Amino acid sequence: AQSVTQLDSQVPVFEEAPVELRCNYSSSVSVYLFWYVQYPNQGLQLLLKYLSGSTLVKSINGFEAEFNKSQTSFHLRKPSVHISDTAEYFCAVSDAGGTSYGKLTFGQGTILTVHP
Amino acid sequence: NAGVTQTPKFQVLKTGQSMTLQCAQDMNHEYMSWYRQDPGMGLRLIHYSVGAGITDQGEVPNGYNVSRSTTEDFPLRLLSAAPSQTSVYFCASSYLGGSQETQYFGPGTRLLVL
């Protein structure tokens, strides 16, 4: 069984400040790691994912996340946030082997609110 | 492409009523799934399907039925609605390339059961 813990339920931050959203996971098998973003009243969109290779992965809008196997973490960072980054962010894992297909285990979500 | 579409957007039911949440995708994805989203609990998998005629249970299947007669459609049925089923429901789809495939989510259906 897998589990995901997002350590902060809400993160308020000022515009242009850096932000880190924390995610820890627990799994007995190798995993793939994902960050999804949900803007108000919308569905989830993939922000970035780690499958293999370089442990640092980046999105097109300036977010990055680093896979740390020893600490079982996949924290999301952005050096300078914009008002438009206000959303709820979900960390998720899936089984990297076998027949788990697209079954995702999600964290509880972190609401990022960017203030002017 | 319209992507993943869900209807209705909002629904209010009384306890004991039945209804079907519709989900359709036009990307020829083999894999489709239903999640429910509750505050502070993230999303939890209800049912999933790896192709027409094949469905299986997820983490929280009780009170829900699904069927997959075509590749495009994956309806979720509530046979006898309960207040505990008040939630936001998301349908998702992907190619069947393994668990690394990106899931594409619909806009959600907000359900209130009184």
Side-chain angles (χ1 to χ4, degrees):
Chain A
Q2 298 160 340
S3 66
V4 178
T5 302
Q6 292 182 241
L7 297 161
D8 305 292
S9 59
Q10 298 191 51
V11 173
V13 65
F14 285 111
E15 193 173 19
E16 298 183 6
V19 70
E20 178 180 78
L21 308 183
R22 296 178 293 168
C23 172
N24 286 94
Y25 69 93
S26 173
S27 177
S28 58
V29 299
S30 296
V31 296
Y32 296 134
L33 294 152
F34 305 82
W35 275 99
Y36 280 84
V37 58
Q38 183 181 30
Y39 298 104
N41 299 313
Q42 294 187 25
L44 278 71
Q45 304 172 32
L46 180 68
L47 188 60
L48 46 76
K49 64 182 177 182
Y50 170 79
L51 304 180
S52 63
S54 173
T55 56
L56 182 66
V57 291
K58 299 183 179 183
S59 73
I60 59 173
N61 58 351
F63 283 94
E64 63 181 35
E66 186 157 21
F67 169 51
N68 188 319
K69 188 175 183 179
S70 63
Q71 298 188 5
T72 60
S73 67
F74 192 54
H75 301 330
L76 181 70
R77 302 182 181 93
K78 189 171 185 180
S80 176
V81 294
H82 301 288
I83 296 287
S84 60
D85 293 325
T86 294
E88 188 162 15
Y89 292 78
F90 291 93
C91 182
V93 301
S94 66
D95 185 350
T99 58
S100 64
Y101 304 111
K103 286 188 279 186
L104 294 166
T105 299
F106 284 89
Q108 302 89 332
T110 298
I111 297 174
L112 174 65
T113 304
V114 181
H115 298 277
Chain B
N1 287 349
V4 181
T5 58
Q6 292 183 238
T7 57
K9 294 184 68 174
F10 304 96
Q11 184 70 48
V12 179
L13 292 178
K14 295 181 179 179
T15 297
Q17 287 185 314
S18 63
M19 79 160 295
T20 299
L21 281 64
Q22 301 292 342
C23 173
Q25 52 88 13
D26 61 358
M27 297 174 282
N28 204 31
H29 286 165
E30 304 95 336
Y31 182 87
M32 296 185 74
S33 56
W34 278 100
Y35 290 86
R36 59 176 289 172
Q37 181 184 21
D38 301 292
M41 302 186 73
L43 281 76
R44 292 177 292 169
L45 182 65
I46 304 172
H47 285 286
Y48 67 96
S49 168
V50 298
I54 307 170
T55 63
D56 205 347
Q57 297 180 350
E59 180 185 355
V60 288
N62 292 342
Y64 308 95
N65 279 353
V66 292
S67 60
R68 184 97 178 268
S69 56
T70 67
T71 299
E72 294 78 18
D73 300 298
F74 191 44
L76 179 71
R77 297 184 186 85
L78 283 70
L79 300 178
S80 179
S84 61
Q85 294 178 303
T86 293
S87 187
V88 183
Y89 292 85
F90 289 99
C91 179
S93 72
S94 74
Y95 290 110
L96 199 60
S99 53
Q100 73 272 25
E101 292 292 338
T102 297
Q103 297 290 311
Y104 293 86
F105 284 82
T109 293
R110 286 156 179 76
L111 176 66
L112 173 63
V113 182
L114 301 175

